[in-house]
mmCIF file of all heavy atoms in Angstrom:
data_model
loop_
_atom_site.group_PDB
_atom_site.id
_atom_site.type_symbol
_atom_site.label_atom_id
_atom_site.label_comp_id
_atom_site.label_asym_id
_atom_site.label_seq_id
_atom_site.Cartn_x
_atom_site.Cartn_y
_atom_site.Cartn_z
ATOM 1 N N VAL X 204 111.021 119.064 76.138
ATOM 2 C CA VAL X 204 112.180 119.799 75.911
ATOM 3 C C VAL X 204 112.100 121.129 76.916
ATOM 4 O O VAL X 204 113.131 121.532 77.341
ATOM 5 C CB VAL X 204 112.133 120.272 74.397
ATOM 6 C CG1 VAL X 204 113.191 121.485 74.203
ATOM 7 C CG2 VAL X 204 112.603 119.206 73.477
ATOM 8 N N MET X 205 110.995 121.692 76.918
ATOM 9 C CA MET X 205 110.737 122.927 77.805
ATOM 10 C C MET X 205 111.030 122.603 79.180
ATOM 11 O O MET X 205 111.781 123.316 79.994
ATOM 12 C CB MET X 205 109.460 123.554 77.588
ATOM 13 C CG MET X 205 109.136 124.127 76.257
ATOM 14 S SD MET X 205 107.499 124.653 75.963
ATOM 15 C CE MET X 205 107.314 125.990 77.259
ATOM 16 N N VAL X 206 110.462 121.480 79.729
ATOM 17 C CA VAL X 206 110.586 121.014 81.118
ATOM 18 C C VAL X 206 112.047 120.746 81.415
ATOM 19 O O VAL X 206 112.633 121.105 82.406
ATOM 20 C CB VAL X 206 109.671 119.823 81.396
ATOM 21 C CG1 VAL X 206 109.997 119.209 82.802
ATOM 22 C CG2 VAL X 206 108.267 120.215 81.451
ATOM 23 N N ALA X 207 112.734 120.035 80.370
ATOM 24 C CA ALA X 207 114.120 119.620 80.683
ATOM 25 C C ALA X 207 114.994 120.837 80.635
ATOM 26 O O ALA X 207 115.855 120.830 81.575
ATOM 27 C CB ALA X 207 114.548 118.554 79.513
ATOM 28 N N GLN X 208 114.770 121.780 79.864
ATOM 29 C CA GLN X 208 115.641 122.924 79.895
ATOM 30 C C GLN X 208 115.365 123.838 81.143
ATOM 31 O O GLN X 208 116.427 124.415 81.722
ATOM 32 C CB GLN X 208 115.382 123.794 78.631
ATOM 33 C CG GLN X 208 115.916 123.152 77.329
ATOM 34 C CD GLN X 208 117.420 122.825 77.488
ATOM 35 O OE1 GLN X 208 118.244 123.734 77.632
ATOM 36 N NE2 GLN X 208 117.715 121.526 77.268
ATOM 37 N N ILE X 209 114.131 123.981 81.553
ATOM 38 C CA ILE X 209 113.919 124.667 82.833
ATOM 39 C C ILE X 209 114.732 123.980 84.040
ATOM 40 O O ILE X 209 115.323 124.546 84.828
ATOM 41 C CB ILE X 209 112.411 124.705 83.069
ATOM 42 C CG1 ILE X 209 111.748 125.639 82.079
ATOM 43 C CG2 ILE X 209 112.136 125.265 84.528
ATOM 44 C CD1 ILE X 209 110.240 125.604 82.152
ATOM 45 N N VAL X 210 114.552 122.713 84.119
ATOM 46 C CA VAL X 210 115.179 121.838 85.216
ATOM 47 C C VAL X 210 116.687 121.950 85.106
ATOM 48 O O VAL X 210 117.362 122.301 86.006
ATOM 49 C CB VAL X 210 114.795 120.368 85.134
ATOM 50 C CG1 VAL X 210 115.514 119.561 86.131
ATOM 51 C CG2 VAL X 210 113.209 120.254 85.508
ATOM 52 N N ARG X 211 117.254 121.851 83.915
ATOM 53 C CA ARG X 211 118.613 121.845 83.644
ATOM 54 C C ARG X 211 119.182 123.258 84.137
ATOM 55 O O ARG X 211 120.191 123.292 84.852
ATOM 56 C CB ARG X 211 119.030 121.674 82.232
ATOM 57 C CG ARG X 211 120.494 121.760 81.774
ATOM 58 C CD ARG X 211 120.592 121.825 80.306
ATOM 59 N NE ARG X 211 122.025 122.053 80.031
ATOM 60 C CZ ARG X 211 122.979 121.039 79.964
ATOM 61 N NH1 ARG X 211 122.771 119.889 80.025
ATOM 62 N NH2 ARG X 211 124.242 121.486 79.648
ATOM 63 N N THR X 212 118.473 124.339 83.697
ATOM 64 C CA THR X 212 119.031 125.683 83.959
ATOM 65 C C THR X 212 118.977 125.958 85.529
ATOM 66 O O THR X 212 119.996 126.479 86.084
ATOM 67 C CB THR X 212 118.074 126.732 83.279
ATOM 68 O OG1 THR X 212 118.218 126.475 81.878
ATOM 69 C CG2 THR X 212 118.614 128.174 83.626
ATOM 70 N N SER X 213 117.872 125.489 86.209
ATOM 71 C CA SER X 213 117.739 125.717 87.632
ATOM 72 C C SER X 213 118.757 124.875 88.409
ATOM 73 O O SER X 213 119.328 125.324 89.433
ATOM 74 C CB SER X 213 116.367 125.405 88.069
ATOM 75 O OG SER X 213 115.995 124.072 87.842
ATOM 76 N N VAL X 214 119.123 123.656 87.941
ATOM 77 C CA VAL X 214 119.963 122.822 88.662
ATOM 78 C C VAL X 214 121.405 123.371 88.563
ATOM 79 O O VAL X 214 122.206 123.356 89.527
ATOM 80 C CB VAL X 214 119.949 121.340 88.158
ATOM 81 C CG1 VAL X 214 121.053 120.561 88.633
ATOM 82 C CG2 VAL X 214 118.654 120.627 88.568
ATOM 83 N N ILE X 215 121.735 123.851 87.321
ATOM 84 C CA ILE X 215 123.165 124.302 87.121
ATOM 85 C C ILE X 215 123.321 125.636 87.928
ATOM 86 O O ILE X 215 124.288 125.914 88.409
ATOM 87 C CB ILE X 215 123.360 124.586 85.644
ATOM 88 C CG1 ILE X 215 123.505 123.194 84.945
ATOM 89 C CG2 ILE X 215 124.642 125.316 85.311
ATOM 90 C CD1 ILE X 215 123.734 123.254 83.461
ATOM 91 N N ALA X 216 122.218 126.433 87.891
ATOM 92 C CA ALA X 216 122.302 127.723 88.612
ATOM 93 C C ALA X 216 122.515 127.534 90.078
ATOM 94 O O ALA X 216 123.288 128.354 90.749
ATOM 95 C CB ALA X 216 121.039 128.524 88.394
ATOM 96 N N SER X 217 121.979 126.471 90.663
ATOM 97 C CA SER X 217 121.936 126.258 92.033
ATOM 98 C C SER X 217 123.236 125.419 92.447
ATOM 99 O O SER X 217 123.834 125.709 93.630
ATOM 100 C CB SER X 217 120.760 125.551 92.541
ATOM 101 O OG SER X 217 120.539 124.433 92.007
ATOM 102 N N GLY X 218 123.579 124.451 91.714
ATOM 103 C CA GLY X 218 124.676 123.631 92.061
ATOM 104 C C GLY X 218 125.780 123.370 91.006
ATOM 105 O O GLY X 218 126.649 122.562 91.315
ATOM 106 N N GLY X 219 125.731 124.005 89.848
ATOM 107 C CA GLY X 219 126.761 123.811 88.948
ATOM 108 C C GLY X 219 126.553 122.471 88.171
ATOM 109 O O GLY X 219 125.712 121.716 88.325
ATOM 110 N N ARG X 220 127.565 122.232 87.286
ATOM 111 C CA ARG X 220 127.516 121.085 86.391
ATOM 112 C C ARG X 220 127.540 119.834 87.156
ATOM 113 O O ARG X 220 127.124 118.756 86.847
ATOM 114 C CB ARG X 220 128.497 121.087 85.283
ATOM 115 C CG ARG X 220 128.366 122.299 84.292
ATOM 116 C CD ARG X 220 129.219 122.061 83.020
ATOM 117 N NE ARG X 220 128.875 120.839 82.391
ATOM 118 C CZ ARG X 220 127.870 120.700 81.319
ATOM 119 N NH1 ARG X 220 127.162 121.825 81.110
ATOM 120 N NH2 ARG X 220 127.794 119.650 80.897
ATOM 121 N N ALA X 221 128.305 119.871 88.191
ATOM 122 C CA ALA X 221 128.378 118.644 89.287
ATOM 123 C C ALA X 221 127.070 118.277 89.727
ATOM 124 O O ALA X 221 126.824 117.091 89.690
ATOM 125 C CB ALA X 221 129.350 118.971 90.303
#
Side-chain angles (χ1 to χ4, degrees):
V204 166
M205 293 174 62
V206 169
Q208 289 305 301
I209 291 171
V210 172
R211 177 188 172 90
T212 301
S213 62
V214 169
I215 292 177
S217 61
R220 294 194 62 86

